[in-house]
Amino acid sequence: RRSSDLTLNEIRDGERAVIENFEIDDDLRQRFFSFGLNPGKKIKKLKSTLKGSTIEIQIDRSCVILRKNEAEKIRVSRANENA
């Protein structure tokens, strides 16, 4: 699987990624934008709950918790750690 074929819930805890795009409706898009989530943004997946129902991510200096079904709609690529 190519790294650009990943969704946010598929990367490992502690891994950094870049948001590629969303597969969402306009209401959820506005909600994501209000959190600072937009294509090209670098994020870090901090942790998932035991059953994976929620995922905590870091965006800039903020932390956001997303539902699993929301994270599945965010397409990402693994970030280059040296960039």
Side-chain angles (χ1 to χ4, degrees):
R1 162 170 257 193
R2 292 185 354 222
S3 76
S4 61
D5 290 337
L6 298 170
T7 59
L8 179 56
N9 61 316
E10 294 175 311
I11 63 173
R12 296 182 306 269
D13 290 359
E15 195 169 2
R16 296 181 190 280
V18 176
I19 297 173
E20 296 295 330
N21 60 47
F22 305 121
E23 298 170 4
I24 55 177
D25 61 34
D26 287 340
D27 288 340
L28 190 53
R29 183 179 306 277
Q30 289 303 316
R31 184 168 171 252
F32 283 179
F33 285 169
S34 74
F35 294 149
L37 291 170
N38 49 51
K41 183 63 100 172
K42 291 183 182 179
I43 60 171
K44 180 178 182 181
K45 182 177 178 183
L46 297 177
K47 62 183 174 181
S48 303
T49 57
L50 185 60
K51 296 189 187 263
S53 61
T54 61
I55 294 169
E56 182 179 1
I57 61 172
Q58 180 179 358
I59 309 162
D60 298 324
R61 288 188 241 157
S62 300
C63 292
V64 174
I65 296 176
L66 300 170
R67 295 177 192 96
K68 178 184 177 184
N69 66 331
E70 294 170 337
E72 289 172 340
K73 297 175 182 177
I74 301 174
R75 312 282 312 161
V76 300
S77 60
R78 288 188 168 95
N80 183 346
E81 295 292 329
N82 299 323

